[in-house]
Amino acid sequence: MLDPDQLAADEPANSADDSRPLGVRKMLDLGAATGRLTHVERLPERQGRRAEWPGWMPIELVTAFGHAGVPAPWTHQAEAAELAWAGENVIMATGTASGKSVGYLAPALTAIMEGATALYLAPTRALAADQLGLVKSLGTGLGAGQGGGHGTGRGATLRAAVVDSDTSFSERASARRHATYLLTTPDMLHYGLLPQHQRWRGFFRRLRFVIVDECHGYSGVFGSHVAQVLRRLRRVAAYHHGSAGGFGGSSPQAVQFILASATISEPAKCAELLTGATASAVTRNGAPRGPMTFGLWEPPLTSTRGVAGAPVRRSAIAEAATLLADLVRDGTPALAFIRSRRGAEAAAAAAKSKLTEAGDDELTHRVAAYRSGYLPEERRQLEDGLRAGTITALAATPALELGVNITGLDAVLIAGWPGTRAALWQQAGRAGRTGRDCAAILIARDDPLDTYLVHHPQALLHRPVEATVLDPTNPYILRPHLCAAAAELPLDDDDLTLFGSAAPGLVAELAERGMLRNRGGRWHLTGLRRAPLASLRGSGGPPVRIVEESTGRLIGTMDEPSAHVLAHAGAVYPHQGDLYLVKSLDLGDSVALVEAGDPGYVTSARELTELTITAEHRRIDWGGAAVHFGEVEVVRQVAAFTRRRPDTGQPIGEEKLDLPSRVLRTRAVWLTIAPEQREELAAAGVDLPGAVHAIEHAAIGLLPLVAACDRWDVGGVSTDSHAQTGMVTIFVYDGHDGGAGFAERGFTAAAQWLRSTSLAISDCECGAGCPSCIQSPKCGNGNEPLSKSGALALLDRMLADAPDPEKGATPAGGESGGRRTARLRGDRAVP
Ligand SMILES: [Zn+2]
Ligand SMILES: [Zn+2]
C-alpha cells in the first residue's frame, strides 16, 4: 500500500516515465498535497490467460469469433462455456470488461446452430440493444439473417431480435416466427412473453439456454420480482418442452441458465436465489487489465455553517465537478458517477461553470450529464458524442452501469459510496478498458458511511464483495406472481415447490379470496379477478411524467413515491443542467407540470411517519438491550416542503402540501434498551430523544455496510418511548411493501452494524454532529433533535453485552482502531 506522502515524494523522480495520463497525475498530486487523498492503492497490471476453444464448437463459430477480434477465449470464458455445454447452470462472476459474453455466447450460439433457441435477459433495454449489435456482428460471420430456413433442425441460422415495449407489432410477429436468439428484459418477459407463451411456443419449445446478464443488478425488491419471473419462465419452458418433445422432458430443469455478474460474494447462492436452481460458479478472471491507481478522497470542511451551526463539508458532487473540469482541461477522458439524478445535472453544470470562470469557454461543450429518465434520443446523442470524443467528461447516474459500453476512459470519479463493494468495482472498472494506466477515485459524501469508509480503507479493499440480497419469499411479491403463473398455466403441487416454501400458504389464501380455484387438483385463476400485472420495479402504479407546461414537452419520468418527494407542487426539479419549478402534481393522471427557471433556492420535502409493530418474529438479547425483527406498518405523508439556500442547505421558508398518505406494510429491525438502562442514562444527563434520533440516522447510513442496499431503500423511526414497546426504540425498516431483506440483514449482523455506527460517529471530527455522522439529508424532521454524545453513550450501553462480530478484532480492523475504540468506555467485548 502506498501512502499519500510517499506518493507525492516519489512523483518528481518517476514522472518522466510515469505512464499515467497527465490529468490523472495532476489530480493525485493535488490530493496528496491537500491531504484530501486519504488512501492510495496501486492495483497491478494483470496478464491475460488464454484457453483453447471447446472442441464441440462449430468451426464457423470459432471463425466468426476470430473475425470479431476474439482469437481464443480467456480461461474463465472457456470454463463457463464447458460447464454450460456439459448441462450445468453456470454463473460467471468476474470483473467489468472481462468479456463474459464470450462465455455464454459460445454454448448458446452452438446450441442455436444445432436447432435450439436462446433467451438473453438484460436489466435495461439499452443493454439488450447493445448486445444485439454484438450478436449481429457475430451473426454476419455465420451468414445469419439472410433468408433461408426458419431455424428448425440442424444447420439452423442465428436470427437475433430485441423484443421490448418499443418493438412494433410487426417486428414482434417476425421475432415470434424467426428469432433463435431473443434479447429482452425481465419486464417484457413478465408483461409480454410469459402471458402470451402459447403464441411464442415455437420459441419456448426449443429454448435451451437462458442468459441472465448483469445479474448482480437484480437485488432488493426488483431482484425478488425477477426471481419469480425466472421461476415462471422455467415452468413455461418445461411445459412446452414436455408437450412438444424438446430438450429435457417435462422437468422444470428443461432450460439451463448462464448468469453473468460483477464480482460478488457467494455467486452460486445468488444464482440459486434468482433461478431456484443450483449453479456452478466461475470466478477466476483470465482477462488482462492495465494497472490502476485507486484512491479514497475526502473533500474539505468549508467555513460555511449548516443546520444548528454544524460544519459543512464540501459536497462530493462539487468536488467531482471541480476535478472533472481539471480533467477536461488536461484532455483526460473521465466519467463521474453521481448517485442522484439531480446530482448528475448539478455536477455537469458546475464543471461547465468552472471552465467558464477560468476562461475555457470553448471546452464547456465537452461536459455532459447522463442519467436514467432521459429520452432515448437524448441518450443516443450523448453516447455518440462520447464515442466520437466531442464529449470527454460525463457526469452520470449509475444507470449507466447497466447501459452502454463506454470505453477509453482514463479516470473514473465515484462521488459517494455506490452502496456495495460490487458496485464500487463495477464503476471503477469503467476506467482503463483499453489496457492503459488509469485511476479510480472514491470521493466521500458528507455522510456517516462515506466518512467511515475513507478512513477505514480496510473495510473496502482486500475484502470479498457482498452477497446479493433478495427475498423470493416476500408474500407481497410472490402473491401476484402466483396469480400470473396460474393465468399462464394452472398450478399443480410441483409448481408450488418451485415457488418455494411460502407458496402453499399463499395459494390457500388466494383461494379464500376467490382469486384461485381448484379444479381437478390444479389451481386456476378465476376469470373475473384478473388484476393488472404488478410492476417489477417495486413502486407499483404507472410512472409520473414530468411535462413542460408551456410546450407540452416530456422532460422525464419518475416512479410515484419519488414524485411525492421530488416533484410535488413547488419543488425545484433539475434536468440537463436546467432548473424547473413544479407547478402541479396530479397523481390521478400521473403527471407533473413544470416550468423552466431558476428560483434561486432548492427544496426538500418534509415527511411525517407513524409506525406500528404488527408482529415480532425474532429477538436477540444483549443484557438489557435487545435487537428485534418483525413486521411493521408505516404510514407516511409528505406534509410540507422547505425552501433552502442552494449552497448551504439552510432553510429559508416552509410551505404545507396536501398529498395523500401512503401505507407501507414491511419488515423492520428495532433496537430497545431496558427501562433501568434508560433511567441510568437519563440520570447521567443523556438527551435520549436526541440520542435515538442520531443513532437512527447514523445506523441507516451504515446499514449498506452489512446489507447490499442503498440508504434510500430503508427508512427509520426513533422514539425515547414507543407506545407499543414502552421503551427507548429505534426502528429501521425496508422501504418497500413486504420488505426486501435489508432490515433482516441488519438484524443478523446487528453487532457489526452498530459497532461500525458507533465508530462512524466517534470518528467524525465535528463537535456536536454534522452530515458526516448524525445528520440525515432525508430527515423528515429538519434534523431536530440530535445528540452526538448521547448517541455514543446509548450505543455504548446497547453494545456492552453484544457479541464481537469478528472475535479478537475490532469491527473496523486495521491499525488505527485503538484511538476510536477507546471511546467505547467499559466495552469489554472490544480488546
Ligand atoms: Zn460529524
Ligand atoms: Zn430524522
Side-chain angles (χ1 to χ4, degrees), residues 693 696-697 716 718 776 778-786:
H693 192 199
E696 175 209 320
H697 285 180
S718 55
S776 166
K778 57 184 282 198
C779 184
N781 222 14
N783 279 299
E784 286 287 326
L786 286 177

Side-chain angles (χ1 to χ4, degrees), residues 651-665:
I652 48 177
E654 187 168 286
E655 196 168 311
K656 290 215 179 332
L657 288 168
D658 185 25
L659 283 165
S661 61
R662 291 160 290 144
V663 180
L664 178 68
R665 288 177 190 86

Side-chain angles (χ1 to χ4, degrees), residues 360-378:
D360 292 321
D361 255 322
E362 76 285 0
L363 294 176
T364 55
H365 68 271
R366 299 213 174 165
V367 182
Y370 181 111
R371 63 159 171 78
S372 63
Y374 277 0
L375 302 173
E377 314 82 83
E378 291 179 301

